[in-house]
Amino acid sequence: MNLAYFLSILVFSPLLGILVLSFLPKTQESLIKTVGFLATIPALVLSLIAYFQYRAGASLDQLNEKVSWIQFGDSSQLGNLFSIDYELGLDGFSLIMIVLTAVLSTLAAIASIHIKKEWKGYFMLFLLLEVGMLGVFAAENLILFFIFFEITLIPTFFLIGKWGYFEKENAAYSFLIYNGLGSAVLLIVIMVLFARTGTANIDALMAAMNSDNPQLVAPISENMKMGLLIALLIAFGVKLPIFPLHSWMVRVHVQAPPSIVMLHAGVLLKIGAFGLIRFGMGIFPEQFQSLAVWLAVLGVVNLLYGAFLAFVQTDFKMVLAYSSISHMGIVLIGLGALNEAGIQGAIFQVVSHGLIAALLFFLVGVFYERVQTSNIQNLGGLAKGMPITAGFLLAGAMASLGLPGMSGFVSEFMAFLGLFKEMPILAAVGTIGIIMTAVYLLRAVLGITYGKAHRDFAGITDLKKFEYVPVLVLVGLIVLIGVYPSVLSEPLTSTLETIMLGIGG
Amino acid sequence: MELWNLYQNNYLIVFVFLCLGVLLPVVALFLGKLLRPYKPYDSKYTTYESGIEPFHDSRVQFNVRYYIFALMFVIFDVETVFLYPWAVAYEKLGIFALIEMLIFVFMLVIGLVYAWKKKVLKWI
Amino acid sequence: MDLETLLSYEWGIMAPEFIILGVATALTLMDLFMPKTQSRKILGWVGFAGILAALVSLLGLIGHGPESILLDTFRLDSFAKAFKLLLLIGSALVLLIAISYEPNEGLEEFRGEFFYLFLAALLGAMIMSSSGDLITLFVGLELLSISSYILAGMRKRNQLSNESAMKYVINGSIATAITLFGMSYVYGLTGTTNLKEMAGFLTSVYNEQHIYLLGLAFFMIVVGLSFKLAAAPFHMWAPDVYQGAPTPVTAFLSVVSKTAGFIIIIRILFSIFANAPSGDVQGLPMILALQDYIAFLAGATMIIGNVIALRQRNIKRLFAYSSIAQAGYLLVVIASMSLFMFDTLWFYLGAYLFMNLGAFAIIQHVTHKSGSEDISQFAGLYRRAPFLAIAMAVFLLSLAGIPGTAGFIGKLNIFMGALVPSEGHYVLVSIMIATTVISYFYYFGVMVQMFFRPAADTGKVKIPVALTAVIGISIAATILFGVAPNIAFDFLQGNFNQFTDFFQ
Amino acid sequence: MVEELLYSEAGLLNFGIFFLLATVLLLVVLGFVTYAILAERKIMGFMQLRHGPNQVGGRWGLLQTVADVLKLLLKEDTIPKLADRPLFILAPVIAFAPAFMVLATIPFTDKLQFADIGVGLLYYIAISGLTTVGIVTGSWASNNKYALLGGMRAAAQMISYEIPLVMSVLGIVLLTGSLNLNEIVEAQKNGWFIIWQPIAFIIFLIASTAELNRVPFDLPEAESELVAGFHVEYSGFRWAFFMLAEYVYFFAMASLTTVLFLGGWLPLPFLDFIPGAVWFALKFTAVIFVLVWFRVTFPRIRADQLMEFGWKVLLPIALANIFLTALLKEWLSIF
Amino acid sequence: MSAVPVQAYLALALILFCIGLYGALTKRNTVMVLISIELMLNAVNINLVAFSKYGIMPSITGQIFALFTITVAAAEAAVGLAILIALYRNKKSVNIDEMDAMKH
């Protein structure tokens, strides 16, 4: 694990696939699909290597990379001020996120088999998206973070707009505008910090913002810090999404192709949580503390609102979309609790929901591909035609509603544990959401699998061989986390310690 | 002070000439009005058109060449705006100004050649 | 002035200008004496070669220290060198676009003129960039303007072209008159037209009335010059002129002419008003006292440009508003007056040059065949010409400021400059970012056409060599400066010495 | 006395005195015009082996022009219905006033001069250009096709020949370094400019003929084509003022030629006992004679030839002459 | 000795300029607009010449500047008229408000 540029290779490995793809003729469907799939493998392998090495006790610091990149102004006078370096690095949290990304990307590449047209363009964009997602988590520098963040935006826009369903362009536009605004706000925050401190390195910023006698280019008042944090909250709130900023996300989940939704729900939404934890808590710990209550309240609102709306939906995709909103509420609740259990719960929820959502959307994709509908009514009795699919669907739902022994349970439990310690009443209200989750998920899934059959599902093939791969992997991981949470908690220890140190907990 | 007076007087003379130049026609025409007969009838006041009834508006559209000549005139007249001060101050300015002026006039000559080649200077 | 003084001048520092002048003259004569039937394309190539020669000679001058000749009317400082570089590169690309411009009607016998008028306009811009005197600045400005007027109306038998030229002349002349009026006051207060002497003299003006007059002059100069930038309040000509003018001319106006506008605005404002007292109690120099005014213009320009662009269906109009918006971004640089101002302006203008010219090369190619400039002409471009579509996408992304492109680094730079001063320009930055997001709508609208919509005509597209070169260079530069901007920044730092000689 | 007057403060009194003096000049000019017309007719007559006017005022027809003027004064004045009345009335004034104004700066001798302004030559050129406006105004106001056509032609011709005219005198300005007509005359002590500037002289002579709308450049009034050109609708004394303007210009142009090229009042060597005024008169008469001679001798040239001659021949030669002069001055330092 | 104070020249120039600006912005006829623009430029000339004689620091530069302004104004007018002629040939109108071929 002393390979130079290990992280760069990890992050940019999908580019190799793009390169190869660009030389392939458009008509070679299976070849393109194979290449597209294979291109996700290096990142997966490398990230797993990193993970296991880390578990084996290697330090992540040796992965850090730093190459000087942009220097604004005259370096002879300004020194290192206003320089932006290309710096990548990992800590436990980001390592987990990268592993998650790599796994889900590979699985989504398998799920992309269902894509019907223009595979070449699709896979090129897909791989670009993967670069962006990997980069976001590996960036050690706010501006680099932002760049990767924006890089995820463009491919997603096209992937939704071109390969989605009926209202794909609307969905793509609302995705673009909401996220564009979000990233714009994020950019303001980043630029203010950069202009005021002269650095964009996250560690340096953390140090500068939390020291008593900071070396700043221009002063940053307390009010400004608060303003910046709120802006940050808005920026990541769009991504997460937090209650009033969520409408785009529902549209995207319904209209985008299933493989992209897997990534979107599994990884892209999590960037919001990741950003809040890393930057919100890391750079503005004091301000974050004073906002924590509101965050928890927002979390509960998200949880209840999402759950309620999920309950009234007739389309299974909509149910899942609102369920995502609801589950993101749990992340917020965990963060709002501001104690170790809560934050750990939030992070667990991030990973766990990533896996569960990916599983469920993959399954939706599977049966949508066969029956061309995702309406719960029309799907009634699916278990007759596709018993295995139905079975996994039920498993996914169970994981999602927090059945003990699966990942959902661990995360929800910890998050609420955290909140009960701090704000018992709020937590009590929040538990209603958990119950509602169980209700709407079971209603929907049971409606699909064992509900009244409206049509004959005979002649429909169940899961094909290759479709087993994602399903099994995801279910496996969900269960693994559920029964052996330390796969996650151990790598997180050091990150959590740092955070707790910052917020004085 | 004296020079100032001289200066003013000289322009006063110019002004006097202007007044006279305007006055003479005015006075003469006024005198003529007293002397000349006045016997109007309609056909006296028609527009002359070789004896036939005038037709159409006489303010016809003109060949565009007239305008182009006007533009050419403007351009070359402006050239003289620079040539005159230069010529007057030539002794003080010397060779430098000569070269500058040569370049300037050369550019204008290109303009002339341009107009020539584009057959602007051809009349009708 | 005798021969000795004359020969003691270092005429070599004017070499780029002389080359352009010489080539323009030679082209005129060649055009006149060439047989009618012969293709005029060769003139375009000669002009291109001339610009390259000027570029080479300019690069040769880069190590040259600051120097001024002709009683300080011609000044070669790093500012001049840096921005001349942009002008020359921009014009070279424009000329390449113009070489491949073959409209259906209206340009036949004027092809030759097309090329040397570009050179004349370029010469005007270059003179502006290294002028140290109000009169030469003005003459340069007008050389540029008048050539552009004619260029806009080059398609003599095309009504749109006529109309656009007429509007351009009228607006331009009004703007000129306003600028001049402002200049006349500045002259009246100082009794000289030399920028340095003016600045020196103005530091000692303390008469209340004079300061008032100076403020009026400042106002008028800024308003008048905003015309060249196509910035508020003088932006209304841009959409019509951009639409009606031949596409290469539109490209020229949107890039070279705009760059020249920023050059003159910086030359005048920062030379004359940098040290003039503003008469307020804190003893701020005038330029700082009136900073908010520029900031207001910048904000208004960005909002107008980006919001109205949303409604456009004609691609050239769309780009007109886009370029208005870009002028607004650039005005933010001037309004923020940070220590990065020159670098930022230079970099952004450079980035803008490549991305916009590349886009115009494609626009010209896509629109000229069908004659229609509706946005729907781009439908299905990805199928017909994937290279063009991807290139266009890159340019649009860069214009929108998406990372990975030069436009992003430029914007980053602008934000930084605006936020560095201790009272950061938060409002301005917020407007800029918000309008940038608005701009996604129309930039992505074009992309939606290219990638999502089916093509009406599925015929393959053949791109002329010159256009391919422009697109290739532009896309390479856009991405290169987006990924490795330090190439440009190091060049800037290494050769132009922080523009310190601008004020000396 | 005049010196004192000039150095005294400008006021109403001065105005009155100048007015009187100018009136005297006006009368002289009118007298000149009267007899110039007669002389012209006589010379033409002789050259064409005719008698010319010989009825009114004795054998020489001395009162012929006077009678003509009186006739014009008594003629009925008609203004066409369709004409633009105010402009129609204004046009002769605009045409005539500059013609008289230019006389203000011409030095007849070193003493006999009205306004000695520094930019005399420029003044002459600038003011004389205004007449074109009068002509175009008249032709436009007449609302007559012939008039308009004639007026446009006149304008085109006058502006076309104004350029070579203006350029040709630049050589002289170069040599003297002044626009003051007195100084120009003084500078000719070493030799008249007709010797130093022969090319300029020829150009000037041709261009001035054209400016005067005289044969062979009398296209604007070409009777055979345009009836009478721009003044076809004018009659009586209004018409007379156009004619008057033309002849006053004749006077002025001849004076200017004398001043610029023939050394003004300067005498020939060894003949300086003859007063300057006489010299001036002699030279002036010679110029007048040459111009009349032209009229008799040359046929009218075609319109297209006229314009092309001005732009393609006279203008380049005039430009070349300027630089030739400048170079000569630089290298030979002749002055 | 100057009987006329510099303020008078400046006021005249300003008034002329405003008239020109008004005309340029309101007139329908393009020729009138061009004339109005000339008026504005001439106002500038008045300013420059007045300043060159009665300014705070009188200098000849103002007159030189005025010469350049005149030249440029002439060139501008020439180009403007030429374009107007071309436009008139195609459109048979010189009215500003009829120039509306381009709308969004």
Side-chain angles (χ1 to χ4, degrees), chain A residues 492-504:
Chain A
L492 282 174
T493 340
S494 64
T495 312
L496 275 174
E497 271 168 20
T498 329
I499 294 173
M500 292 316 292
L501 205 67
I503 56 178

Side-chain angles (χ1 to χ4, degrees), chain D residues 195-247:
Chain D
I195 300 165
W196 300 117
Q197 290 284 309
I199 304 170
F201 177 70
I202 292 166
I203 297 168
F204 186 85
L205 203 62
I206 295 172
S208 62
T209 316
E211 282 287 284
L212 293 171
N213 290 341
R214 289 183 62 84
V215 179
F217 302 109
D218 62 339
L219 281 120
E221 298 161 50
E223 297 89 346
S224 44
E225 306 169 32
L226 293 171
V227 194
F230 61 88
H231 50 52
V232 66
E233 289 292 356
Y234 282 86
S235 61
F237 232 62
R238 290 188 207 284
W239 176 81
F241 272 102
F242 278 119
M243 289 316 280
L244 186 59
E246 216 164 276
Y247 274 90

Side-chain angles (χ1 to χ4, degrees), chain A residues 209-228:
Chain A
M209 298 296 288
N210 296 317
S211 91
D212 297 326
N213 186 19
Q215 297 275 315
L216 297 178
V217 176
I220 303 183
S221 67
E222 290 299 310
N223 277 342
M224 192 195 283
K225 280 188 192 170
M226 185 51 107
L228 289 178

Side-chain angles (χ1 to χ4, degrees), chain A residues 327-345:
Chain A
H327 280 97
M328 287 303 107
I330 296 176
V331 175
L332 284 177
I333 287 172
L335 294 183
L338 262 193
N339 51 27
E340 194 166 349
I343 295 169
Q344 202 171 12

Side-chain angles (χ1 to χ4, degrees), chain A residues 97-114:
Chain A
M97 295 310 293
I98 282 193
V99 174
L100 178 70
T101 308
V103 170
L104 286 185
S105 297
T106 308
L107 299 182
I110 297 174
S112 305
I113 301 276
H114 299 311

Side-chain angles (χ1 to χ4, degrees), chain D residues 6 23 29 86 90 129 139 141 166 173 189 218 317:
Chain D
L6 280 174
T23 318
V29 171
L90 202 61
S139 66
V166 166
V173 180
K189 287 234 161 87
D218 62 339
I317 294 177

Side-chain angles (χ1 to χ4, degrees), chain A residues 69 118 162 169 184 224, chain C residues 383 426 433 451 453 483 486:
Chain A
W69 186 35
E118 309 207 20
K162 192 153 177 85
E169 281 184 22
M224 192 195 283
Chain C
R383 284 293 177 75
Y426 300 108
I433 291 191
F451 293 103
R453 299 270 188 274
V483 174
N486 245 25

